Amino acid sequence: MTEPYAVEVPLRWSDMDAYGHVNNVQYLRLLEDARVVGLREWLPTGATMLEEGIVVSRHAIEYRAPLTYRPAPVRVDLWVTHVHGCGFDLGYVVRDPASVGESVYAVAETGLVLYDFDAGRPRRLAPTAREVLGAHVGDPVAFRWDRR
Amino acid sequence: MTEPYAVEVPLRWSDMDAYGHVNNVQYLRLLEDARVVGLREWLPTGATMLEEGIVVSRHAIEYRAPLTYRPAPVRVDLWVTHVHGCGFDLGYVVRDPASVGESVYAVAETGLVLYDFDAGRPRRLAPTAREVLGAHVGDPVAFRWDRR
Amino acid sequence: MTEPYAVEVPLRWSDMDAYGHVNNVQYLRLLEDARVVGLREWLPTGATMLEEGIVVSRHAIEYRAPLTYRPAPVRVDLWVTHVHGCGFDLGYVVRDPASVGESVYAVAETGLVLYDFDAGRPRRLAPTAREVLGAHVGDPVAFRWDRR
Amino acid sequence: MTEPYAVEVPLRWSDMDAYGHVNNVQYLRLLEDARVVGLREWLPTGATMLEEGIVVSRHAIEYRAPLTYRPAPVRVDLWVTHVHGCGFDLGYVVRDPASVGESVYAVAETGLVLYDFDAGRPRRLAPTAREVLGAHVGDPVAFRWDRR
């Protein structure tokens, strides 16, 4: 069980909506950026994996506290929650860099599938990628919401 | 148990990402638009409820098929999956208007909480809003993914 | 001299920024959508021209009145202001569909260049495209601002 | 005549469009971010000026070279091109931080007007703001395009 990987993600003024808070949809942009940065840094084949195609199969996100624009980036903790033959799941906590353990803005999880766009089908994780991802496996995401 | 409410949501060329598909995050923009339109039409107090503040507490979305930009709108089927004291959950199916029952691009669910920004706390659903929402209650969202 | 071509462009709730108005940058998204729709409808080869690549070389836009989100689309009047060997310029007026001649939200102009991405250079307008575009030529955009 | 003020602006993967380049409209988001950061740093009353309302009255932008996503930020050079009673104009050069003087992606100019939303009219620049802005005045933007 490893520590989550911390990525600092800058906000943009335009992430705010008419309520003056970072819009709920824009949180997923922040996760996208954390993911793109994280995967590039984790994987020697990261850039290639991204160029060859990774498809998002699902997202789940829970919002915990409102976030307003500020010049300082937020911190996204990123880890792997599951690895399977053709993909993997990522867990995230969006938090304030200055106060680890507090000020959690959101928790989320994304399902990712490697996809061969030319062949029109999923493709298998290479053993090296599987090994690297395995080294980042952590706890399940602590969602509060339970399926009814 | 009522039929879902169908909202036609236009795409924008910019919804596509570098892969040439409608970006996974932009699907949540389509849901946002369907929701804004649907709630205005359902609720006599719809506009007011929106202006006074509804907060998204969570999203879950599963992607089923890639969607590319075209001038014709997609159809978002919208219904209520749950009503509680201070909010409600909405279910969605994003599909092709021309082929109902096929071509499902995504299924999703959003948790919404009525929020009093001045007082900094959730506020209760008015009885009339509760009644209107109750008339739109339908099946749970048919997610394929099960929590591990 | 022909009449401008009118395209109805729907707004999205998310086009509003923290000030509660349609954000100035999002106006250019509205223009993009009007342009994509207009060019497809004008040109028999419209889709092909777009797929083969058109590059925006410049924009100029003047804002005249604040625009807030509403379910009804805005109307974008679209015409050609100039045609040259490898491209053309488009003029726009963003206005309220219900009150032609009043309620102008913005006027704008975009320079477009046909580009061959594989060869890495501009490509020439086909004679048929030139002819079609010529039929849409109208007045210069009535900018108020003069270069100092 | 002062040096332009350099702001590093991070890109997002989603800034790319279906052509795989940073989308022309997203450049204006980069300018917005540079402007928000620059004005906060220039003006002791920067945050207040922003909260009280600045309205964009116009933009002009010329694109010089295609920009693709990379983890490293771009550099936006920012300066004042004109100050008047109720507002000011900003000039920008979007460039690569690693190669000053080369790799210019775009040049642009924005007109800004201070606005009193409650009163529904422009408001005058305070003398201190005018003085600070005056210290950042530089050359006109070197647009290639001339009005025809």
Side-chain angles (χ1 to χ4, degrees):
Chain A
M1 197 69 68
T2 55
E3 284 297 298
Y5 190 84
V7 182
E8 297 220 331
V9 180
L11 302 180
R12 288 184 176 171
W13 187 85
S14 58
D15 291 332
M16 285 188 294
D17 60 23
Y19 290 153
H21 297 132
V22 171
N23 179 262
N24 63 85
V25 180
Q26 290 305 101
Y27 274 77
L28 292 153
R29 285 273 166 251
L30 307 180
L31 302 184
E32 183 179 62
D33 256 33
R35 194 166 69 231
V36 168
V37 169
L39 292 179
R40 274 173 189 262
E41 294 182 358
W42 290 356
L43 293 160
T45 55
T48 309
M49 187 193 261
L50 291 169
E51 281 152 21
E52 288 178 10
I54 298 185
V55 171
V56 170
S57 59
R58 65 177 178 83
H59 287 300
I61 183 166
E62 277 182 19
Y63 303 93
R64 294 281 168 82
L67 174 60
T68 47
Y69 172 77
R70 75 278 178 89
V74 293
R75 172 175 149 183
V76 179
D77 288 340
L78 186 72
W79 72 98
V80 176
T81 54
H82 185 69
V83 184
H84 56 89
C86 296
F88 53 100
D89 296 342
L90 290 176
Y92 320 79
V93 175
V94 183
R95 62 167 91 238
D96 201 301
S99 57
V100 176
E102 310 165 52
S103 296
V104 169
Y105 300 117
V107 298
E109 189 169 37
T110 297
L112 294 157
V113 174
L114 274 68
Y115 205 80
D116 182 333
F117 285 122
D118 292 331
R121 60 163 182 258
R123 57 195 169 81
R124 296 192 67 77
L125 270 177
T128 50
R130 207 178 161 102
E131 194 176 342
V132 170
L133 293 168
H136 288 279
V137 171
D139 289 331
V141 178
F143 287 118
R144 288 181 185 162
W145 174 70
D146 283 320
R147 292 281 177 83
R148 277 172 297 270
Chain B
M1 197 69 71
T2 55
E3 284 296 297
Y5 191 83
V7 181
E8 298 221 330
V9 179
L11 302 180
R12 288 183 176 173
W13 187 85
S14 58
D15 290 332
M16 286 188 292
D17 61 23
Y19 290 154
H21 296 133
V22 171
N23 179 262
N24 64 83
V25 180
Q26 290 304 100
Y27 274 77
L28 292 153
R29 285 273 168 250
L30 307 180
L31 302 185
E32 182 178 65
D33 256 32
R35 194 167 68 232
V36 168
V37 169
L39 292 180
R40 273 174 189 262
E41 294 183 359
W42 290 357
L43 293 160
T45 56
T48 309
M49 188 193 262
L50 291 169
E51 280 151 24
E52 288 179 10
I54 299 185
V55 171
V56 170
S57 59
R58 67 177 177 83
H59 288 299
I61 183 165
E62 276 183 20
Y63 304 93
R64 295 279 168 84
L67 174 60
T68 48
Y69 171 77
R70 75 276 178 91
V74 293
R75 173 176 148 183
V76 179
D77 289 339
L78 187 71
W79 72 98
V80 175
T81 55
H82 185 69
V83 184
H84 57 89
C86 296
F88 53 100
D89 296 342
L90 290 176
Y92 320 80
V93 176
V94 183
R95 61 168 90 238
D96 201 302
S99 56
V100 175
E102 309 165 54
S103 296
V104 169
Y105 300 116
V107 298
E109 190 168 36
T110 296
L112 294 157
V113 173
L114 274 67
Y115 204 80
D116 182 331
F117 286 122
D118 291 332
R121 61 163 180 257
R123 58 193 168 84
R124 297 193 66 78
L125 270 176
T128 50
R130 206 177 163 103
E131 193 176 345
V132 170
L133 293 168
H136 288 277
V137 171
D139 288 331
V141 178
F143 288 118
R144 288 179 184 163
W145 174 69
D146 283 321
R147 292 284 176 85
R148 276 174 295 269
Chain C
M1 198 67 71
T2 54
E3 285 296 298
Y5 190 84
V7 181
E8 298 220 329
V9 180
L11 302 180
R12 288 184 177 172
W13 186 84
S14 58
D15 290 333
M16 286 188 292
D17 61 22
Y19 289 153
H21 297 132
V22 171
N23 179 261
N24 63 84
V25 180
Q26 289 304 102
Y27 275 76
L28 292 154
R29 285 273 167 250
L30 306 180
L31 302 185
E32 183 179 63
D33 256 33
R35 194 166 68 233
V36 168
V37 169
L39 291 180
R40 274 173 188 261
E41 294 182 359
W42 290 357
L43 293 160
T45 55
T48 309
M49 187 193 261
L50 292 170
E51 281 152 22
E52 288 179 9
I54 298 184
V55 171
V56 170
S57 59
R58 66 177 178 84
H59 288 299
I61 183 165
E62 277 182 20
Y63 303 92
R64 295 281 168 82
L67 174 59
T68 48
Y69 171 77
R70 74 278 179 88
V74 292
R75 172 176 148 183
V76 178
D77 289 340
L78 186 72
W79 71 98
V80 175
T81 54
H82 186 67
V83 183
H84 57 89
C86 296
F88 54 100
D89 296 341
L90 290 177
Y92 319 80
V93 175
V94 182
R95 62 167 92 238
D96 201 300
S99 56
V100 176
E102 309 166 54
S103 296
V104 169
Y105 300 116
V107 299
E109 189 169 37
T110 297
L112 293 157
V113 174
L114 274 67
Y115 205 79
D116 182 332
F117 286 121
D118 292 332
R121 61 163 180 258
R123 58 194 169 82
R124 296 192 67 77
L125 268 177
T128 50
R130 206 177 163 102
E131 194 176 342
V132 170
L133 292 168
H136 289 278
V137 171
D139 288 332
V141 178
F143 287 117
R144 288 179 185 163
W145 174 70
D146 282 320
R147 292 280 177 87
R148 277 174 297 270
Chain D
M1 197 69 70
T2 54
E3 285 295 297
Y5 190 84
V7 181
E8 298 221 332
V9 179
L11 302 180
R12 288 184 176 172
W13 186 86
S14 57
D15 290 333
M16 287 188 292
D17 61 21
Y19 291 154
H21 297 133
V22 171
N23 179 261
N24 64 84
V25 180
Q26 290 304 101
Y27 275 76
L28 292 153
R29 285 272 167 250
L30 307 180
L31 303 184
E32 183 179 63
D33 255 33
R35 194 167 68 233
V36 168
V37 169
L39 292 179
R40 274 173 188 263
E41 293 182 359
W42 290 358
L43 293 159
T45 55
T48 308
M49 188 194 261
L50 292 169
E51 280 152 21
E52 287 178 12
I54 298 185
V55 170
V56 170
S57 59
R58 67 177 177 83
H59 288 299
I61 182 166
E62 278 182 21
Y63 303 93
R64 294 281 167 84
L67 174 59
T68 48
Y69 171 77
R70 75 275 178 91
V74 293
R75 171 175 148 184
V76 179
D77 288 341
L78 186 72
W79 71 98
V80 175
T81 55
H82 185 70
V83 183
H84 56 90
C86 298
F88 53 100
D89 297 341
L90 291 176
Y92 320 81
V93 175
V94 182
R95 62 168 90 239
D96 201 301
S99 56
V100 175
E102 310 164 54
S103 295
V104 169
Y105 300 116
V107 298
E109 190 170 36
T110 297
L112 294 157
V113 175
L114 274 67
Y115 206 79
D116 182 332
F117 286 122
D118 292 332
R121 60 163 181 257
R123 59 195 167 83
R124 296 193 67 78
L125 270 175
T128 51
R130 206 178 164 104
E131 194 175 345
V132 170
L133 293 167
H136 288 277
V137 171
D139 288 331
V141 178
F143 287 117
R144 288 178 184 164
W145 174 72
D146 282 320
R147 292 283 176 84
R148 278 174 295 271

